[in-house]
Amino acid sequence: MNGDMIGRVIKGRYKLIDERGRGSFATVYIVRDLEDNRICALKVMHLELSSDDELLARFQREAHILLNLSDPHIVRIFDYGNDNNMHYIVMDYIDGQNLKYHMINQGAMEPLHAIDYARQIAEGLDTAYKQGVVHRDIKPQNILINSQNIVKITDFGLARGRDTVTLTQSNVFMGTAYYISPEQAESGRSADTRSDLYSVATVLFEMLAGRPPYEGDTAVDIVIKQINDKVPSICRLRPDLPPETDAFMQKALAKAPADRFATPQEFIASLELLTQLMPRDIRSEAGNRPVSKTPAPAPQVKEARIIVLSSGLITPLKGEQMVVGRQDPTLGIYPEISLADKTVGRRHAYLRNQKGTYTVEDLNALNKTRLNGVILTPHEERTLKDGDVLRFGSVEVRFELR
């Protein structure tokens, strides 16, 4: 499936407007529900995989489980089905990025920020726990953060409920090595809510430390460490954290499930206590580090702009973060830098101003972003210098800093 899917109507109801993301298993599109004019996301299983009974069962299981889960921190689905062997799930459209994106761009996060994200994940898992559902694949890529900083758990394809028939290969290693619990790595069938909470703790560890608790050259190396190695000290990596943070991680990442938090509510209560133990400067409103009393000299201010080479149109760069894209009033999309060309994605790239240093970042646009003729890797910032030529789709612009 590729760009020729845009404009197609699924099941006579869901019109595909734009591609949002693509994986090895499925592609997610932004769609319009022609019955009520609502904007949704539609996940379509790759056609060539529809003959794989196990993958198809995983896809259908995700739909069945999500239909019975209602929580502000779980992506809601409205419909699922099959249109000419094209299996699809219709769900909430989330205007935002996944947690992995934020980790890559921010590095180690402010403690309260990271704890808040972990608490929201646990709150979503609490609803799943009460319904007897185990996610089994909690990782940053499956955690969406919307524009209001609200967490939404997605991808319940590996989940299992009370009445779910176990697949023939459910004991095979599942999930991602950095975040999987020891018992899940050894036997996926033994996973329960304590396994999910272990995964949340590994995600929190990475948010705080800028790296996961266990690393290795291969997935096997990492899994062996998950099973055998001692829990590393988070406080050695982040000395600004209270020592109770280490105690929390020791319990949350214990090798034996019986030694961990038994329920999401226990996990949440411990997070709330940890919040209260944070030093006062960390718990300040902005959550910033103390600022030096001696102000730094003001840097020389340079004016930045881009010039569309084909038309000579000049756009000053005024904000700290500006979206380059194509305006779409129907979807409510109004990028700060609007380029009226169909080859430009609605959210094509970011231009950022970081204290006078300008960067560009491709947002995984279908028609790519180029810098001086070189295609940029999605979600990787590149520094701009005066005279650089950028290409968004078919539109070429020159960056000027004077």
Side-chain angles (χ1 to χ4, degrees), residues 42-187:
L42 184 141
K43 185 176 183 178
V44 182
M45 185 177 178
H46 295 326
L47 194 61
E48 64 272 18
L49 300 179
S50 60
S51 59
D52 186 316
D53 291 340
E54 179 149 351
L55 289 179
L56 182 57
R58 167 183 168 179
F59 193 78
Q60 292 171 336
R61 180 171 64 244
E62 178 179 11
H64 174 74
I65 287 174
L66 285 177
L67 275 176
N68 294 289
L69 290 180
S70 178
D71 186 272
H73 300 300
I74 295 176
V75 172
R76 178 179 48 164
I77 82 162
F78 306 104
D79 190 13
Y80 71 100
N82 175 15
D83 185 1
N84 294 320
N85 208 32
M86 187 179 299
H87 298 273
Y88 65 90
I89 300 173
V90 185
M91 64 191 87
D92 274 328
Y93 168 65
I94 307 300
D95 182 17
Q97 299 285 347
N98 66 35
L99 181 56
K100 191 66 176 180
Y101 169 87
H102 290 277
M103 286 176 164
I104 291 171
N105 283 278
Q106 295 182 37
M109 295 183 184
E110 289 293 339
L112 289 190
H113 198 179
I115 290 173
D116 179 60
Y117 281 161
R119 177 187 55 79
Q120 292 187 60
I121 299 169
E123 287 177 355
L125 291 177
D126 187 48
T127 294
Y129 166 69
K130 290 172 181 175
Q131 295 292 322
V133 173
V134 184
H135 188 285
R136 300 200 302 162
D137 197 21
I138 293 293
K139 57 186 177 183
Q141 294 89 333
N142 288 340
I143 306 300
L144 302 180
I145 312 293
N146 73 9
S147 55
Q148 284 77 46
N149 250 357
I150 297 174
V151 162
K152 302 280 185 177
I153 305 172
T154 189
D155 200 350
F156 277 74
L158 295 183
R160 238 189 12 239
R162 289 191 184 102
D163 303 322
T164 305
V165 176
T166 301
L167 301 183
T168 57
Q169 294 184 348
S170 64
N171 60 331
V172 176
F173 168 69
M174 292 180 178
T176 302
Y178 291 115
Y179 313 102
I180 197 168
S181 68
E183 68 274 13
Q184 195 175 348
E186 292 180 307
S187 173

Side-chain angles (χ1 to χ4, degrees), residues 134-136 183 188-197 257 260:
V134 184
H135 188 285
R136 300 200 302 162
E183 68 274 13
R189 296 185 184 186
S190 63
D192 60 20
T193 193
R194 295 169 297 181
S195 304
D196 281 350
L197 294 175
R260 297 183 209 139

Side-chain angles (χ1 to χ4, degrees), residues 1 57 84 103 107 133 147 172 182 220 231 236 283 315 360 363 397:
M1 296 182 196
N84 294 320
M103 286 176 164
V133 173
S147 55
V172 176
V220 173
V231 180
R236 288 182 182 175
R283 290 191 285 115
T315 302
V360 61
L363 295 179
V397 306

Side-chain angles (χ1 to χ4, degrees), residues 214-215 221 224-232 253 255:
Y214 303 105
E215 297 179 296
D221 292 339
I224 290 174
K225 290 180 180 180
Q226 297 274 21
I227 295 171
N228 297 317
D229 284 14
K230 293 181 179 179
V231 180
L253 296 175
K255 303 302 178 186

